[in-house]
Amino acid sequence: MQRHLLKPIMLCAFLASSTLLSGCGEAEATSSTEQKNDVIAIPVEVATLQQGAISSNYATTAVLEAKEEAFVVARASGIIHEIMVEEGDYVEKGQVLAKLETERYRLNLLKAQANLVGIEKELSKIKDVYQKKLVSDDTYDKLVAQYASAKASLELAQLDLEETTILAPISGFIAERNAKVGNLTESFQRERMFHIVQQKQLYGIVHLPEKELSRVHKGQHASLNLTALSDQIVNASVERISPVIDAKTGTFKVTLSVPNQSNTLKAGMFAQVKLNYDTRDNAILLPRQALLDIDDQLNVFVVKDGIATKTPISIGYQEEGIIEVTQGLTGNEQVVITGHHNLKDKASVEIVNG
């Protein structure tokens, strides 16, 4: 009787156990499927490619120089009597800058004039006697020579008097005034009285490596960034190219012509120079931060339908954080610019910069 009851009980227990195990298996399978479908998207920022112009430039620096400048010194000796200009004044060629005391030179001129008049009278008298052969050739020749000497002395005295007035040799701005009223100045002394600069046309002098010689030509465009003028950009062009290489530095000299009709620029200003080699229009432009160097290959991550695909590219010119793409992209893609350093190919991403 007990054996007949035990078998049904054991069968019921077995069926109950099987039901529980089957229920647990279905729960584990459902949980695993949900984990596979719940993929975390990586947040990234993207940028859309653009098309535009990009240039190949050589970057260097230059200090602006005046195309014309003059260091004015006195040709006559004397005390400075009057100064007519100050630093910053604009003067025309031939304008009076200063005057020296003239009394000594005026008296020398009168003396030379009187001496010449006396010799002229004596020469006039002796001519009649000489024509009658009453005076020797030697005496007459000496008097003629004295007349020529007196005439030259008069002209020198006139020149000395004129040179007591200091004139501007060129038009331009007074950059420096060293002369002071009452000071003694010597003729052709080394200390200059005035420094005049003409700034309507400036020069930018740059020294380029010899390997760049074949890429530079007269008339080539350049741009100057001037820190002193809040990074203002000024256009310039190559005016002269030195035909020799400096053996000590391995560089050659290039002179840039910098127009300055408004006199905004000043000689001595520091400029960052970009010498333009070539410009390509309608190029595919890529932000530099999107570029990744992986296994000696340049790549970007292109985002489409929430998937980031690693795409190899080739590049051309580079300018101010922008790179030209020559192969690999069509120009309509969105590329990852932030968050791409740890991305894997075909990773799910979420664009977070709108």
Side-chain angles (χ1 to χ4, degrees):
M1 181 67 181
Q2 292 179 353
R3 289 182 179 179
H4 290 291
L5 291 174
L6 183 60
K7 287 182 179 180
I9 292 172
M10 291 178 65
L11 180 60
C12 290
F14 176 75
L15 292 173
S17 176
S18 299
T19 302
L20 289 173
L21 289 174
S22 175
C24 291
E26 290 179 359
E28 289 179 359
T30 302
S31 177
S32 177
T33 303
E34 290 177 355
Q35 287 180 359
K36 289 182 180 179
N37 293 331
D38 189 16
V39 178
I40 299 176
I42 301 173
V44 296
E45 292 185 2
V46 299
T48 303
L49 297 182
Q50 298 180 350
Q51 290 190 343
I54 190 168
S55 300
S56 173
N57 300 304
Y58 183 87
T60 183
T61 59
V63 176
L64 299 184
E65 299 179 4
K67 181 177 181 179
E68 294 183 6
E69 62 179 343
F71 298 101
V72 183
V73 297
R75 296 184 178 184
S77 300
I79 302 298
I80 299 174
H81 176 67
E82 187 178 6
I83 295 176
M84 321 297 288
V85 295
E86 291 294 338
E87 291 179 357
D89 291 347
Y90 184 83
V91 297
E92 296 289 347
K93 182 178 180 179
Q95 183 175 332
V96 177
L97 304 180
K99 292 182 178 181
L100 306 182
E101 290 184 353
T102 61
E103 186 63 20
R104 182 180 298 276
Y105 293 99
R106 188 182 65 81
L107 293 175
N108 284 336
L109 178 60
L110 293 175
K111 179 181 177 181
Q113 287 174 339
N115 187 37
L116 180 62
V117 170
I119 295 177
E120 281 180 339
K121 290 180 178 180
E122 186 175 354
L123 183 61
S124 177
K125 292 177 181 179
I126 205 173
K127 276 184 178 181
D128 294 336
V129 179
Y130 177 71
Q131 289 175 356
K132 297 177 181 180
K133 303 298 181 181
L134 298 176
V135 176
S136 64
D137 292 341
D138 184 56
T139 300
Y140 180 77
D141 290 342
K142 285 182 178 179
L143 192 57
V144 171
Q146 288 178 7
Y147 173 78
S149 177
K151 188 176 181 180
S153 296
L154 176 61
E155 291 176 355
L156 285 173
Q158 290 175 333
L159 182 60
D160 288 341
L161 182 60
E162 291 173 359
E163 288 179 346
T164 59
T165 301
I166 313 300
L167 304 178
I170 63 171
S171 299
F173 289 93
I174 303 295
E176 187 178 356
R177 176 182 74 85
N178 295 318
K180 295 181 179 179
V181 173
N183 284 5
L184 173 66
T185 180
E186 299 290 341
S187 59
F188 297 101
Q189 65 181 357
R190 295 183 62 184
E191 183 180 356
R192 58 201 181 208
M193 297 180 67
F194 301 95
H195 179 203
I196 303 176
V197 294
Q198 174 56 270
Q199 299 189 127
K200 289 184 179 179
Q201 187 76 31
L202 296 174
Y203 281 150
I205 308 299
V206 297
H207 297 272
L208 305 182
E210 57 183 311
K211 66 180 181 179
E212 305 295 331
L213 183 60
S214 62
R215 307 184 68 183
V216 181
H217 57 84
K218 187 175 181 180
Q220 190 168 357
H221 177 264
S223 62
L224 278 62
N225 186 318
L226 295 146
T227 306
L229 298 180
S230 302
D231 296 327
Q232 178 180 339
I233 303 299
V234 176
N235 293 323
S237 61
V238 174
E239 181 168 310
R240 293 194 299 271
I241 303 171
S242 174
V244 297
I245 304 296
D246 187 337
K248 294 182 179 179
T249 62
T251 61
F252 63 98
K253 178 181 176 182
V254 176
T255 301
L256 303 177
S257 176
V258 186
N260 187 33
Q261 294 300 321
S262 63
N263 289 312
T264 305
L265 311 179
K266 307 299 180 185
M269 280 186 172
F270 178 82
Q272 295 177 335
V273 179
K274 285 186 177 180
L275 187 61
N276 181 261
Y277 287 155
D278 184 33
T279 298
R280 292 175 180 166
D281 297 321
N282 299 319
I284 299 175
L285 305 181
L286 171 76
R288 181 185 295 273
Q289 62 264 40
L291 201 62
L292 289 174
D293 189 349
I294 303 174
D295 298 330
D296 296 328
Q297 171 64 53
L298 297 177
N299 299 270
V300 295
F301 278 96
V302 176
V303 177
K304 184 177 181 181
D305 299 329
I307 302 298
T309 303
K310 185 176 72 173
T311 305
I313 64 170
S314 298
I315 64 173
Y317 294 161
Q318 303 182 38
E319 183 180 18
E320 296 182 354
I322 300 297
I323 297 175
E324 176 195 17
V325 179
T326 57
Q327 290 182 354
L329 299 175
T330 64
N332 299 317
E333 297 88 348
Q334 284 188 323
V335 294
V336 180
I337 58 173
T338 302
H340 54 318
H341 291 282
N342 295 320
L343 277 183
K344 293 183 179 180
D345 191 22
K346 307 299 182 181
S348 295
V349 295
E350 179 185 359
I351 299 174
V352 296
N353 62 331

